[in-house]
Amino acid sequence: MTLRSGIDALYERYLRWQVKHIPRHVAVIQDGNRRYARDQGLNTAVGHRLGADTTEEFLDWACDLGVRHITLYTFSTENFRRDKDELASLFTLFREKFLAIIRDERVHRNHIRVQMIGDRSLLSDDLLSTIDAAEEATRGYTDYYINVALAYGGRNEIVHAAQSILDEVRRGEIDPAAIDPDTVENHLHRGAAPIPPVDLIIRTGNDCRTSNFLPWLANGHESAVYFCAPYWPAFRKIDLLRAMRVYDQRMRLKERAA
């Protein structure tokens, strides 16, 4: 063990001791794969694959710490504007990762349900069939939930919920006068397992904005937000614990004010 790794291990234990409140739902904006690759003189596709490796580590850390719901901002509706070669490598990577879920023994041992949220109409049939298979393979699990925000846009999400509500109003299944925030929440991500309000948003890459991410479940519930400098491939467990400390501090303030 090097001196640096020893110090990091001690600091991790110190941070874990500080965190008394564990967020139930953590949402992550995984930013900086391309900038990390550029800084390291690597191909963009390599940066995305290194980011995917960090995602797997992050999921292990979060589950070990007791976070039951994780939402990953993987690909936004705006990202479709990127270079066609980058898009091709990204969708190949997405398909590989969803295929891996089906046979990942950690997923089945820990009873992790995986589901996509986003606009499925924007994805190819090939990718959708792989996503469907991964969702079906984990549909019965209820210990942990991983929501993959793919072809996702926050405003688009609310528009789809509104359209769904209007369809039910036309069929006489909903009284317009009875529509309330719960009605909207129940029509978000139709077909997916219920997703609870976001407790903590983490954004990497030193960009201090939430980018239209889960506006109803995060902004509407005043979630804690943690912005940090490391690009996503360089994100560490220490960074996760620092983010959770921000959430813990907020909960302590609430307790004092109660």
Side-chain angles (χ1 to χ4, degrees):
M1 177 183 290
T2 65
L3 178 60
R4 175 60 185 272
S5 63
I7 292 172
D8 284 351
L10 287 172
Y11 186 40
E12 277 185 22
R13 286 199 290 271
Y14 172 67
L15 288 169
R16 182 64 188 90
W17 173 79
Q18 287 186 306
V19 175
K20 307 302 181 187
H21 299 85
I22 303 297
R24 179 170 63 152
H25 183 183
V26 174
V28 188
I29 302 171
Q30 306 157 286
D31 197 11
N33 290 342
R34 295 191 298 174
R35 284 176 287 163
Y36 180 85
R38 186 164 56 246
D39 286 355
Q40 300 295 318
L42 302 170
N43 182 277
T44 297
V46 176
H48 288 308
R49 287 192 173 274
L50 291 172
D53 292 342
T54 298
T55 298
E56 292 193 19
E57 289 187 296
F58 174 87
L59 296 175
D60 287 339
W61 302 331
C63 289
D64 287 345
L65 290 166
V67 179
R68 294 195 60 221
H69 296 262
I70 301 163
T71 301
L72 304 169
Y73 204 173
T74 304
F75 188 87
S76 74
T77 50
E78 290 78 14
N79 289 152
F80 282 101
R81 302 169 188 161
R82 292 184 178 180
D83 175 84
K84 65 179 182 179
D85 290 335
E86 181 180 357
L87 291 176
S89 66
L90 273 170
F91 287 120
T92 296
L93 179 60
F94 296 152
R95 186 173 182 277
E96 287 177 10
K97 293 303 179 182
F98 276 105
L99 278 173
I101 286 166
I102 298 170
R103 56 180 180 270
D104 191 327
E105 59 91 19
R106 294 171 301 177
V107 169
H108 301 292
R109 182 179 68 244
N110 294 311
H111 298 155
I112 300 171
R113 180 168 179 175
V114 178
Q115 57 189 8
M116 174 198 151
I117 60 172
D119 192 341
R120 291 175 182 254
S121 70
L122 299 176
L123 302 179
S124 68
D125 291 341
D126 181 51
L127 178 55
L128 278 175
S129 65
T130 306
I131 292 170
D132 289 342
E135 290 179 328
E136 186 58 35
T138 64
R139 192 174 303 280
Y141 297 151
T142 58
D143 288 355
Y144 298 95
Y145 296 84
I146 297 173
N147 310 301
V148 181
L150 182 58
Y152 175 87
R155 288 183 296 180
N156 195 35
E157 168 185 79
I158 294 174
V159 167
H160 279 238
Q163 290 171 340
S164 178
I165 292 169
L166 285 172
D167 286 343
E168 293 188 24
V169 168
R170 293 190 191 99
R171 294 197 298 268
E173 298 170 6
I174 292 180
D175 177 1
I179 295 174
D180 59 13
D182 286 341
T183 308
V184 177
E185 203 153 300
N186 291 335
H187 285 76
L188 295 172
H189 321 120
R190 298 309 297 271
I195 301 174
V198 176
D199 298 309
L200 170 65
I201 289 183
I202 300 170
R203 181 170 189 146
T204 60
N206 206 27
D207 197 349
C208 300
R209 56 195 174 97
T210 56
S211 294
N212 194 25
F213 188 34
L214 299 173
W216 189 276
L217 293 175
N219 299 342
H221 291 273
E222 298 185 345
S223 65
V225 181
Y226 181 75
F227 300 113
C228 60
Y231 299 136
W232 180 244
F235 190 84
R236 302 171 297 164
K237 188 176 183 179
I238 282 173
D239 299 306
L240 171 58
L241 287 166
R242 285 171 173 161
M244 292 175 67
R245 182 172 60 183
V246 168
Y247 171 76
D248 179 80
Q249 290 166 346
R250 177 167 187 169
M251 295 304 297
R252 289 172 192 251
L253 286 172
K254 283 188 173 183
E255 289 174 349
R256 294 191 195 110

